[in-house]
Amino acid sequence: ISLAAPLPKFGEAAPEAFKRLAQIITGPAPKKKDESGKVAFDNCISALFALARHQLPLCPPDVPAWQIVVRKLPLQEDEDEAKKVHKAVAEMLLEQHAGLLGPDQAHL
């Protein structure tokens, strides 16, 4: 999803992807000893971040994508995904990205 999110064609699948990722991320977190589960969880957060960044107009109104992503940062289990996402977050903060910052900068 992270790689496909910037593509306009992915818009067809975006609403369902938003719903499923939000459901996974807001559900129970993986157990402490489940290393692959924790890495997969970070990948889900990264995918929702990419969707919010590139396909937000297609996000269902009942999915607060940016709020969900911001609450789960920083990523800690998947170092490669963490570097990409944290770099993008820093760039977006410098750009004063309204979605990432939230209303009245509530996500800071």
Side-chain angles (χ1 to χ4, degrees):
I1 292 175
S2 294
L3 296 175
L7 304 175
K9 274 280 220 193
F10 190 73
E12 297 171 24
E16 186 63 25
F18 272 111
K19 287 180 189 176
R20 289 186 186 206
L21 287 168
Q23 187 177 30
I24 292 167
I25 296 167
T26 59
K31 305 272 188 217
K32 287 185 179 185
K33 293 182 180 182
D34 183 2
E35 294 302 321
S36 63
K38 292 190 295 185
V39 169
F41 194 74
D42 272 7
N43 278 269
C44 288
I45 297 164
S46 175
L48 187 59
F49 172 81
L51 276 175
R53 187 174 187 190
H54 299 289
Q55 301 283 350
L56 192 61
L58 301 173
C59 183
D62 61 326
V63 177
W66 283 119
Q67 187 177 19
I68 293 169
V69 168
V70 170
R71 285 184 180 165
K72 298 297 182 178
L73 293 177
L75 301 182
Q76 297 178 353
E77 304 301 328
D78 186 331
E79 192 173 323
D80 293 333
E81 284 301 307
K83 287 178 184 177
K84 288 187 270 187
V85 170
H86 298 159
K87 179 181 178 190
V89 166
E91 291 168 356
M92 293 171 74
L93 285 173
L94 291 173
E95 295 168 1
Q96 298 289 304
H97 188 276
L100 180 62
L101 294 172
D104 297 323
Q105 299 186 346
H107 297 160
L108 286 182

